[in-house]
Amino acid sequence: MTYQSPEMQAIEAWAATMIAVSIQDGNADPSKEVLTKENNDWDIWED
């Protein structure tokens, strides 16, 4: 008889976070176009 025993390997992982800040010099012009996120419902893990 041949017996098989299950094997498991656990690896601990830590999340890394990055915070980015842009330094703005001056005032915003209220008559100019504003860039915003238009579509944020995409799925990068889609098959």
mmCIF file of all heavy atoms in Angstrom:
data_model
loop_
_atom_site.group_PDB
_atom_site.id
_atom_site.type_symbol
_atom_site.label_atom_id
_atom_site.label_comp_id
_atom_site.label_asym_id
_atom_site.label_seq_id
_atom_site.Cartn_x
_atom_site.Cartn_y
_atom_site.Cartn_z
ATOM 1 N N MET A 1 0.833 -1.176 0.000
ATOM 2 C CA MET A 1 0.000 0.000 0.000
ATOM 3 C C MET A 1 0.883 1.246 0.000
ATOM 4 O O MET A 1 1.916 1.281 0.647
ATOM 5 C CB MET A 1 -0.896 0.044 1.221
ATOM 6 C CG MET A 1 -1.954 -1.016 1.252
ATOM 7 S SD MET A 1 -3.003 -0.735 2.667
ATOM 8 C CE MET A 1 -4.547 -0.728 1.882
ATOM 9 N N THR A 2 0.400 2.235 -0.739
ATOM 10 C CA THR A 2 1.090 3.527 -0.766
ATOM 11 C C THR A 2 0.197 4.563 -0.110
ATOM 12 O O THR A 2 -0.971 4.706 -0.474
ATOM 13 C CB THR A 2 1.387 3.966 -2.218
ATOM 14 O OG1 THR A 2 2.153 2.949 -2.843
ATOM 15 C CG2 THR A 2 2.121 5.270 -2.254
ATOM 16 N N TYR A 3 0.745 5.273 0.865
ATOM 17 C CA TYR A 3 -0.019 6.300 1.560
ATOM 18 C C TYR A 3 0.491 7.675 1.136
ATOM 19 O O TYR A 3 1.693 7.869 0.980
ATOM 20 C CB TYR A 3 0.126 6.162 3.072
ATOM 21 C CG TYR A 3 -0.495 4.892 3.605
ATOM 22 C CD1 TYR A 3 0.276 3.762 3.848
ATOM 23 C CD2 TYR A 3 -1.857 4.839 3.865
ATOM 24 C CE1 TYR A 3 -0.292 2.607 4.329
ATOM 25 C CE2 TYR A 3 -2.435 3.675 4.348
ATOM 26 C CZ TYR A 3 -1.646 2.570 4.579
ATOM 27 O OH TYR A 3 -2.215 1.421 5.057
ATOM 28 N N GLN A 4 -0.439 8.600 0.963
ATOM 29 C CA GLN A 4 -0.078 9.980 0.646
ATOM 30 C C GLN A 4 -0.506 10.870 1.799
ATOM 31 O O GLN A 4 -1.636 10.772 2.270
ATOM 32 C CB GLN A 4 -0.776 10.454 -0.626
ATOM 33 C CG GLN A 4 -0.340 9.712 -1.862
ATOM 34 C CD GLN A 4 -1.066 10.237 -3.086
ATOM 35 O OE1 GLN A 4 -2.010 10.996 -2.987
ATOM 36 N NE2 GLN A 4 -0.626 9.807 -4.246
ATOM 37 N N SER A 5 0.396 11.734 2.228
ATOM 38 C CA SER A 5 0.020 12.667 3.291
ATOM 39 C C SER A 5 0.019 14.083 2.709
ATOM 40 O O SER A 5 0.923 14.458 1.965
ATOM 41 C CB SER A 5 0.993 12.576 4.466
ATOM 42 O OG SER A 5 2.284 12.950 4.054
ATOM 43 N N PRO A 6 -1.014 14.853 3.029
ATOM 44 C CA PRO A 6 -1.079 16.219 2.503
ATOM 45 C C PRO A 6 0.044 17.086 3.078
ATOM 46 O O PRO A 6 0.513 16.861 4.185
ATOM 47 C CB PRO A 6 -2.448 16.720 2.957
ATOM 48 C CG PRO A 6 -2.926 15.766 3.979
ATOM 49 C CD PRO A 6 -2.131 14.519 3.861
ATOM 50 N N GLU A 7 0.453 18.072 2.295
ATOM 51 C CA GLU A 7 1.525 18.967 2.714
ATOM 52 C C GLU A 7 1.076 20.398 2.495
ATOM 53 O O GLU A 7 0.417 20.703 1.511
ATOM 54 C CB GLU A 7 2.784 18.689 1.898
ATOM 55 C CG GLU A 7 3.976 19.474 2.351
ATOM 56 C CD GLU A 7 5.225 19.079 1.565
ATOM 57 O OE1 GLU A 7 5.420 17.890 1.300
ATOM 58 O OE2 GLU A 7 5.975 19.992 1.207
ATOM 59 N N MET A 8 1.433 21.266 3.428
ATOM 60 C CA MET A 8 1.059 22.674 3.308
ATOM 61 C C MET A 8 2.254 23.543 3.660
ATOM 62 O O MET A 8 3.041 23.207 4.538
ATOM 63 C CB MET A 8 -0.090 22.995 4.267
ATOM 64 C CG MET A 8 -0.608 24.411 4.113
ATOM 65 S SD MET A 8 -1.811 24.821 5.372
ATOM 66 C CE MET A 8 -0.797 25.782 6.446
ATOM 67 N N GLN A 9 2.364 24.664 2.939
ATOM 68 C CA GLN A 9 3.402 25.633 3.252
ATOM 69 C C GLN A 9 2.722 26.982 3.459
ATOM 70 O O GLN A 9 1.996 27.448 2.580
ATOM 71 C CB GLN A 9 4.421 25.728 2.113
ATOM 72 C CG GLN A 9 5.515 26.721 2.393
ATOM 73 C CD GLN A 9 6.520 26.792 1.245
ATOM 74 O OE1 GLN A 9 6.320 26.187 0.187
ATOM 75 N NE2 GLN A 9 7.583 27.504 1.450
ATOM 76 N N ALA A 10 2.936 27.600 4.606
ATOM 77 C CA ALA A 10 2.341 28.906 4.899
ATOM 78 C C ALA A 10 3.446 29.961 4.868
ATOM 79 O O ALA A 10 4.502 29.788 5.472
ATOM 80 C CB ALA A 10 1.681 28.896 6.264
ATOM 81 N N ILE A 11 3.171 31.039 4.143
ATOM 82 C CA ILE A 11 4.130 32.142 4.037
ATOM 83 C C ILE A 11 3.431 33.403 4.515
ATOM 84 O O ILE A 11 2.354 33.751 4.032
ATOM 85 C CB ILE A 11 4.606 32.324 2.585
ATOM 86 C CG1 ILE A 11 5.302 31.050 2.114
ATOM 87 C CG2 ILE A 11 5.531 33.529 2.476
ATOM 88 C CD1 ILE A 11 5.668 31.055 0.654
ATOM 89 N N GLU A 12 4.047 34.095 5.459
ATOM 90 C CA GLU A 12 3.472 35.328 5.980
ATOM 91 C C GLU A 12 3.871 36.484 5.072
ATOM 92 O O GLU A 12 5.037 36.623 4.698
ATOM 93 C CB GLU A 12 3.974 35.594 7.398
ATOM 94 C CG GLU A 12 3.340 36.782 8.051
ATOM 95 C CD GLU A 12 3.777 36.938 9.499
ATOM 96 O OE1 GLU A 12 4.449 36.040 10.039
ATOM 97 O OE2 GLU A 12 3.446 37.969 10.082
ATOM 98 N N ALA A 13 2.900 37.291 4.705
ATOM 99 C CA ALA A 13 3.154 38.438 3.827
ATOM 100 C C ALA A 13 2.561 39.691 4.452
ATOM 101 O O ALA A 13 1.506 39.640 5.082
ATOM 102 C CB ALA A 13 2.546 38.204 2.453
ATOM 103 N N TRP A 14 3.236 40.797 4.276
ATOM 104 C CA TRP A 14 2.769 42.074 4.808
ATOM 105 C C TRP A 14 2.442 43.002 3.653
ATOM 106 O O TRP A 14 3.136 43.013 2.645
ATOM 107 C CB TRP A 14 3.840 42.715 5.683
ATOM 108 C CG TRP A 14 4.071 41.953 6.938
ATOM 109 C CD1 TRP A 14 4.938 40.910 7.120
ATOM 110 C CD2 TRP A 14 3.407 42.129 8.180
ATOM 111 N NE1 TRP A 14 4.853 40.434 8.391
ATOM 112 C CE2 TRP A 14 3.929 41.175 9.077
ATOM 113 C CE3 TRP A 14 2.429 43.006 8.626
ATOM 114 C CZ2 TRP A 14 3.486 41.082 10.382
ATOM 115 C CZ3 TRP A 14 2.008 42.901 9.945
ATOM 116 C CH2 TRP A 14 2.528 41.953 10.797
ATOM 117 N N ALA A 15 1.390 43.762 3.812
ATOM 118 C CA ALA A 15 0.994 44.716 2.778
ATOM 119 C C ALA A 15 1.885 45.960 2.859
ATOM 120 O O ALA A 15 2.255 46.403 3.939
ATOM 121 C CB ALA A 15 -0.461 45.116 2.959
ATOM 122 N N ALA A 16 2.211 46.510 1.714
ATOM 123 C CA ALA A 16 2.989 47.748 1.642
ATOM 124 C C ALA A 16 2.075 48.868 1.169
ATOM 125 O O ALA A 16 1.252 48.680 0.287
ATOM 126 C CB ALA A 16 4.151 47.578 0.674
ATOM 127 N N THR A 17 2.196 50.011 1.780
ATOM 128 C CA THR A 17 1.359 51.149 1.439
ATOM 129 C C THR A 17 2.237 52.316 1.024
ATOM 130 O O THR A 17 3.248 52.589 1.642
ATOM 131 C CB THR A 17 0.501 51.576 2.647
ATOM 132 O OG1 THR A 17 -0.274 50.463 3.063
ATOM 133 C CG2 THR A 17 -0.419 52.713 2.296
ATOM 134 N N MET A 18 1.819 53.003 -0.030
ATOM 135 C CA MET A 18 2.537 54.179 -0.475
ATOM 136 C C MET A 18 1.568 55.351 -0.494
ATOM 137 O O MET A 18 0.459 55.238 -0.998
ATOM 138 C CB MET A 18 3.098 53.978 -1.882
ATOM 139 C CG MET A 18 3.887 55.165 -2.378
ATOM 140 S SD MET A 18 4.515 54.932 -4.039
ATOM 141 C CE MET A 18 3.229 55.718 -4.968
ATOM 142 N N ILE A 19 1.997 56.442 0.064
ATOM 143 C CA ILE A 19 1.191 57.659 0.036
ATOM 144 C C ILE A 19 1.981 58.698 -0.757
ATOM 145 O O ILE A 19 3.128 58.983 -0.439
ATOM 146 C CB ILE A 19 0.899 58.182 1.456
ATOM 147 C CG1 ILE A 19 0.110 57.140 2.237
ATOM 148 C CG2 ILE A 19 0.167 59.503 1.406
ATOM 149 C CD1 ILE A 19 -0.098 57.490 3.684
ATOM 150 N N ALA A 20 1.367 59.224 -1.794
ATOM 151 C CA ALA A 20 2.022 60.221 -2.633
ATOM 152 C C ALA A 20 1.306 61.554 -2.501
ATOM 153 O O ALA A 20 0.082 61.609 -2.470
ATOM 154 C CB ALA A 20 2.025 59.771 -4.094
ATOM 155 N N VAL A 21 2.075 62.615 -2.420
ATOM 156 C CA VAL A 21 1.511 63.947 -2.273
ATOM 157 C C VAL A 21 2.134 64.844 -3.338
ATOM 158 O O VAL A 21 3.333 64.806 -3.573
ATOM 159 C CB VAL A 21 1.812 64.515 -0.873
ATOM 160 C CG1 VAL A 21 1.310 65.928 -0.744
ATOM 161 C CG2 VAL A 21 1.219 63.640 0.201
ATOM 162 N N SER A 22 1.314 65.626 -3.988
ATOM 163 C CA SER A 22 1.808 66.603 -4.954
ATOM 164 C C SER A 22 1.749 67.984 -4.319
ATOM 165 O O SER A 22 0.716 68.374 -3.774
ATOM 166 C CB SER A 22 0.956 66.599 -6.224
ATOM 167 O OG SER A 22 1.066 65.363 -6.870
ATOM 168 N N ILE A 23 2.831 68.700 -4.390
ATOM 169 C CA ILE A 23 2.861 70.056 -3.841
ATOM 170 C C ILE A 23 2.463 71.018 -4.951
ATOM 171 O O ILE A 23 3.064 71.039 -6.019
ATOM 172 C CB ILE A 23 4.262 70.393 -3.294
ATOM 173 C CG1 ILE A 23 4.615 69.428 -2.174
ATOM 174 C CG2 ILE A 23 4.319 71.835 -2.826
ATOM 175 C CD1 ILE A 23 6.018 69.561 -1.650
ATOM 176 N N GLN A 24 1.427 71.779 -4.702
ATOM 177 C CA GLN A 24 0.921 72.736 -5.677
ATOM 178 C C GLN A 24 1.371 74.141 -5.283
ATOM 179 O O GLN A 24 1.292 74.511 -4.122
ATOM 180 C CB GLN A 24 -0.605 72.677 -5.749
ATOM 181 C CG GLN A 24 -1.153 71.335 -6.163
ATOM 182 C CD GLN A 24 -0.813 70.987 -7.598
ATOM 183 O OE1 GLN A 24 -0.783 71.841 -8.464
ATOM 184 N NE2 GLN A 24 -0.544 69.733 -7.849
ATOM 185 N N ASP A 25 1.805 74.899 -6.253
ATOM 186 C CA ASP A 25 2.224 76.268 -6.000
ATOM 187 C C ASP A 25 1.303 77.192 -6.785
ATOM 188 O O ASP A 25 1.269 77.143 -8.008
ATOM 189 C CB ASP A 25 3.679 76.466 -6.430
ATOM 190 C CG ASP A 25 4.225 77.833 -6.059
ATOM 191 O OD1 ASP A 25 3.654 78.465 -5.160
ATOM 192 O OD2 ASP A 25 5.230 78.253 -6.667
ATOM 193 N N GLY A 26 0.522 77.988 -6.096
ATOM 194 C CA GLY A 26 -0.382 78.902 -6.777
ATOM 195 C C GLY A 26 -1.827 78.558 -6.496
ATOM 196 O O GLY A 26 -2.143 77.665 -5.717
ATOM 197 N N ASN A 27 -2.730 79.270 -7.152
ATOM 198 C CA ASN A 27 -4.161 79.073 -6.962
ATOM 199 C C ASN A 27 -4.786 78.435 -8.195
ATOM 200 O O ASN A 27 -4.295 78.598 -9.310
ATOM 201 C CB ASN A 27 -4.851 80.413 -6.688
ATOM 202 C CG ASN A 27 -4.386 81.022 -5.387
ATOM 203 O OD1 ASN A 27 -4.108 80.297 -4.440
ATOM 204 N ND2 ASN A 27 -4.273 82.331 -5.342
ATOM 205 N N ALA A 28 -5.877 77.717 -7.985
ATOM 206 C CA ALA A 28 -6.592 77.089 -9.092
ATOM 207 C C ALA A 28 -7.431 78.123 -9.832
ATOM 208 O O ALA A 28 -7.960 79.053 -9.238
ATOM 209 C CB ALA A 28 -7.496 75.980 -8.560
ATOM 210 N N ASP A 29 -7.528 77.956 -11.138
ATOM 211 C CA ASP A 29 -8.341 78.850 -11.962
ATOM 212 C C ASP A 29 -9.739 78.235 -12.096
ATOM 213 O O ASP A 29 -9.891 77.176 -12.704
ATOM 214 C CB ASP A 29 -7.696 79.017 -13.335
ATOM 215 C CG ASP A 29 -8.409 80.026 -14.209
ATOM 216 O OD1 ASP A 29 -9.507 80.482 -13.829
ATOM 217 O OD2 ASP A 29 -7.867 80.374 -15.276
ATOM 218 N N PRO A 30 -10.766 78.847 -11.540
ATOM 219 C CA PRO A 30 -12.108 78.255 -11.585
ATOM 220 C C PRO A 30 -12.711 78.164 -12.980
ATOM 221 O O PRO A 30 -13.671 77.437 -13.202
ATOM 222 C CB PRO A 30 -12.941 79.168 -10.684
ATOM 223 C CG PRO A 30 -12.183 80.444 -10.598
ATOM 224 C CD PRO A 30 -10.748 80.107 -10.818
ATOM 225 N N SER A 31 -12.140 78.839 -13.958
ATOM 226 C CA SER A 31 -12.694 78.789 -15.312
ATOM 227 C C SER A 31 -12.040 77.707 -16.176
ATOM 228 O O SER A 31 -12.450 77.497 -17.305
ATOM 229 C CB SER A 31 -12.529 80.156 -15.990
ATOM 230 O OG SER A 31 -11.154 80.455 -16.154
ATOM 231 N N LYS A 32 -11.055 76.990 -15.653
ATOM 232 C CA LYS A 32 -10.368 75.947 -16.428
ATOM 233 C C LYS A 32 -10.975 74.575 -16.167
ATOM 234 O O LYS A 32 -11.687 74.356 -15.194
ATOM 235 C CB LYS A 32 -8.885 75.923 -16.042
ATOM 236 C CG LYS A 32 -8.171 77.210 -16.379
ATOM 237 C CD LYS A 32 -7.060 76.939 -17.298
ATOM 238 C CE LYS A 32 -6.458 78.279 -17.694
ATOM 239 N NZ LYS A 32 -5.192 78.174 -18.253
ATOM 240 N N GLU A 33 -10.672 73.628 -17.061
ATOM 241 C CA GLU A 33 -11.168 72.255 -16.955
ATOM 242 C C GLU A 33 -10.528 71.545 -15.760
ATOM 243 O O GLU A 33 -9.368 71.759 -15.443
ATOM 244 C CB GLU A 33 -10.821 71.508 -18.240
ATOM 245 C CG GLU A 33 -11.318 70.090 -18.282
ATOM 246 C CD GLU A 33 -10.968 69.393 -19.580
ATOM 247 O OE1 GLU A 33 -10.358 70.020 -20.460
ATOM 248 O OE2 GLU A 33 -11.294 68.221 -19.696
ATOM 249 N N VAL A 34 -11.299 70.666 -15.120
ATOM 250 C CA VAL A 34 -10.810 69.895 -13.982
ATOM 251 C C VAL A 34 -10.735 68.433 -14.403
ATOM 252 O O VAL A 34 -11.681 67.892 -14.962
ATOM 253 C CB VAL A 34 -11.762 70.042 -12.777
ATOM 254 C CG1 VAL A 34 -11.293 69.184 -11.623
ATOM 255 C CG2 VAL A 34 -11.857 71.491 -12.361
ATOM 256 N N LEU A 35 -9.605 67.778 -14.136
ATOM 257 C CA LEU A 35 -9.441 66.373 -14.480
ATOM 258 C C LEU A 35 -9.840 65.521 -13.280
ATOM 259 O O LEU A 35 -9.372 65.729 -12.173
ATOM 260 C CB LEU A 35 -7.992 66.089 -14.865
ATOM 261 C CG LEU A 35 -7.464 66.882 -16.057
ATOM 262 C CD1 LEU A 35 -5.992 66.573 -16.275
ATOM 263 C CD2 LEU A 35 -8.254 66.566 -17.312
ATOM 264 N N THR A 36 -10.721 64.555 -13.506
ATOM 265 C CA THR A 36 -11.188 63.663 -12.439
ATOM 266 C C THR A 36 -11.194 62.231 -12.937
ATOM 267 O O THR A 36 -11.059 61.975 -14.133
ATOM 268 C CB THR A 36 -12.617 64.025 -11.988
ATOM 269 O OG1 THR A 36 -13.486 63.864 -13.108
ATOM 270 C CG2 THR A 36 -12.699 65.446 -11.472
ATOM 271 N N LYS A 37 -11.377 61.298 -12.021
ATOM 272 C CA LYS A 37 -11.547 59.900 -12.399
ATOM 273 C C LYS A 37 -12.911 59.751 -13.054
ATOM 274 O O LYS A 37 -13.917 60.125 -12.479
ATOM 275 C CB LYS A 37 -11.479 58.995 -11.177
ATOM 276 C CG LYS A 37 -10.129 58.929 -10.539
ATOM 277 C CD LYS A 37 -10.185 57.978 -9.377
ATOM 278 C CE LYS A 37 -8.858 57.905 -8.672
ATOM 279 N NZ LYS A 37 -8.906 57.018 -7.505
ATOM 280 N N GLU A 38 -12.936 59.207 -14.266
ATOM 281 C CA GLU A 38 -14.209 59.052 -14.970
ATOM 282 C C GLU A 38 -14.763 57.645 -14.868
ATOM 283 O O GLU A 38 -15.954 57.451 -14.811
ATOM 284 C CB GLU A 38 -14.038 59.443 -16.436
ATOM 285 C CG GLU A 38 -13.786 60.927 -16.606
ATOM 286 C CD GLU A 38 -13.704 61.319 -18.064
ATOM 287 O OE1 GLU A 38 -14.111 60.518 -18.918
ATOM 288 O OE2 GLU A 38 -13.226 62.415 -18.339
ATOM 289 N N ASN A 39 -13.880 56.642 -14.861
ATOM 290 C CA ASN A 39 -14.350 55.262 -14.855
ATOM 291 C C ASN A 39 -13.437 54.456 -13.936
ATOM 292 O O ASN A 39 -12.331 54.107 -14.317
ATOM 293 C CB ASN A 39 -14.334 54.697 -16.268
ATOM 294 C CG ASN A 39 -14.938 53.308 -16.322
ATOM 295 O OD1 ASN A 39 -15.362 52.773 -15.315
ATOM 296 N ND2 ASN A 39 -14.969 52.722 -17.493
ATOM 297 N N ASN A 40 -13.914 54.135 -12.750
ATOM 298 C CA ASN A 40 -13.091 53.356 -11.836
ATOM 299 C C ASN A 40 -13.722 52.003 -11.521
ATOM 300 O O ASN A 40 -13.442 51.416 -10.495
ATOM 301 C CB ASN A 40 -12.848 54.139 -10.543
ATOM 302 C CG ASN A 40 -14.119 54.465 -9.812
ATOM 303 O OD1 ASN A 40 -15.208 54.153 -10.273
ATOM 304 N ND2 ASN A 40 -14.000 55.093 -8.662
ATOM 305 N N ASP A 41 -14.562 51.487 -12.405
ATOM 306 C CA ASP A 41 -15.210 50.200 -12.149
ATOM 307 C C ASP A 41 -14.589 49.063 -12.964
ATOM 308 O O ASP A 41 -15.216 48.036 -13.164
ATOM 309 C CB ASP A 41 -16.717 50.292 -12.429
ATOM 310 C CG ASP A 41 -17.025 50.617 -13.876
ATOM 311 O OD1 ASP A 41 -16.114 51.005 -14.619
ATOM 312 O OD2 ASP A 41 -18.186 50.487 -14.268
ATOM 313 N N TRP A 42 -13.355 49.221 -13.428
ATOM 314 C CA TRP A 42 -12.711 48.165 -14.206
ATOM 315 C C TRP A 42 -12.169 47.102 -13.266
ATOM 316 O O TRP A 42 -11.875 47.339 -12.103
ATOM 317 C CB TRP A 42 -11.621 48.726 -15.101
ATOM 318 C CG TRP A 42 -10.700 49.679 -14.402
ATOM 319 C CD1 TRP A 42 -10.892 51.015 -14.214
ATOM 320 C CD2 TRP A 42 -9.459 49.375 -13.765
ATOM 321 N NE1 TRP A 42 -9.852 51.542 -13.520
ATOM 322 C CE2 TRP A 42 -8.955 50.576 -13.226
ATOM 323 C CE3 TRP A 42 -8.734 48.217 -13.613
ATOM 324 C CZ2 TRP A 42 -7.745 50.630 -12.540
ATOM 325 C CZ3 TRP A 42 -7.526 48.281 -12.922
ATOM 326 C CH2 TRP A 42 -7.052 49.483 -12.409
ATOM 327 N N ASP A 43 -12.024 45.903 -13.785
ATOM 328 C CA ASP A 43 -11.604 44.757 -13.004
ATOM 329 C C ASP A 43 -10.302 44.219 -13.589
ATOM 330 O O ASP A 43 -10.289 43.640 -14.674
ATOM 331 C CB ASP A 43 -12.689 43.688 -13.034
ATOM 332 C CG ASP A 43 -12.341 42.484 -12.193
ATOM 333 O OD1 ASP A 43 -11.360 42.540 -11.437
ATOM 334 O OD2 ASP A 43 -13.066 41.474 -12.295
ATOM 335 N N ILE A 44 -9.182 44.360 -12.855
ATOM 336 C CA ILE A 44 -7.890 43.909 -13.380
ATOM 337 C C ILE A 44 -7.741 42.398 -13.323
ATOM 338 O O ILE A 44 -6.849 41.843 -13.925
ATOM 339 C CB ILE A 44 -6.710 44.569 -12.646
ATOM 340 C CG1 ILE A 44 -6.725 44.217 -11.158
ATOM 341 C CG2 ILE A 44 -6.736 46.074 -12.846
ATOM 342 C CD1 ILE A 44 -5.475 44.645 -10.420
ATOM 343 N N TRP A 45 -8.616 41.702 -12.567
ATOM 344 C CA TRP A 45 -8.519 40.249 -12.440
ATOM 345 C C TRP A 45 -9.512 39.539 -13.333
ATOM 346 O O TRP A 45 -9.708 38.335 -13.211
ATOM 347 C CB TRP A 45 -8.745 39.842 -10.984
ATOM 348 C CG TRP A 45 -7.788 40.504 -10.053
ATOM 349 C CD1 TRP A 45 -8.098 41.457 -9.138
ATOM 350 C CD2 TRP A 45 -6.378 40.315 -9.964
ATOM 351 N NE1 TRP A 45 -6.967 41.851 -8.480
ATOM 352 C CE2 TRP A 45 -5.906 41.175 -8.977
ATOM 353 C CE3 TRP A 45 -5.472 39.516 -10.645
ATOM 354 C CZ2 TRP A 45 -4.561 41.254 -8.640
ATOM 355 C CZ3 TRP A 45 -4.129 39.588 -10.303
ATOM 356 C CH2 TRP A 45 -3.683 40.437 -9.311
ATOM 357 N N GLU A 46 -10.118 40.265 -14.259
ATOM 358 C CA GLU A 46 -11.111 39.656 -15.143
ATOM 359 C C GLU A 46 -10.469 38.584 -16.026
ATOM 360 O O GLU A 46 -9.355 38.730 -16.486
ATOM 361 C CB GLU A 46 -11.729 40.739 -16.021
ATOM 362 C CG GLU A 46 -12.852 40.244 -16.893
ATOM 363 C CD GLU A 46 -13.503 41.407 -17.620
ATOM 364 O OE1 GLU A 46 -14.123 42.239 -16.957
ATOM 365 O OE2 GLU A 46 -13.348 41.479 -18.838
ATOM 366 N N ASP A 47 -11.179 37.505 -16.263
ATOM 367 C CA ASP A 47 -10.648 36.403 -17.106
ATOM 368 C C ASP A 47 -10.679 36.755 -18.561
ATOM 369 O O ASP A 47 -11.515 37.329 -19.113
ATOM 370 C CB ASP A 47 -11.447 35.126 -16.871
ATOM 371 C CG ASP A 47 -11.169 34.598 -15.469
ATOM 372 O OD1 ASP A 47 -10.091 34.856 -14.928
ATOM 373 O OD2 ASP A 47 -12.032 33.893 -14.961
#
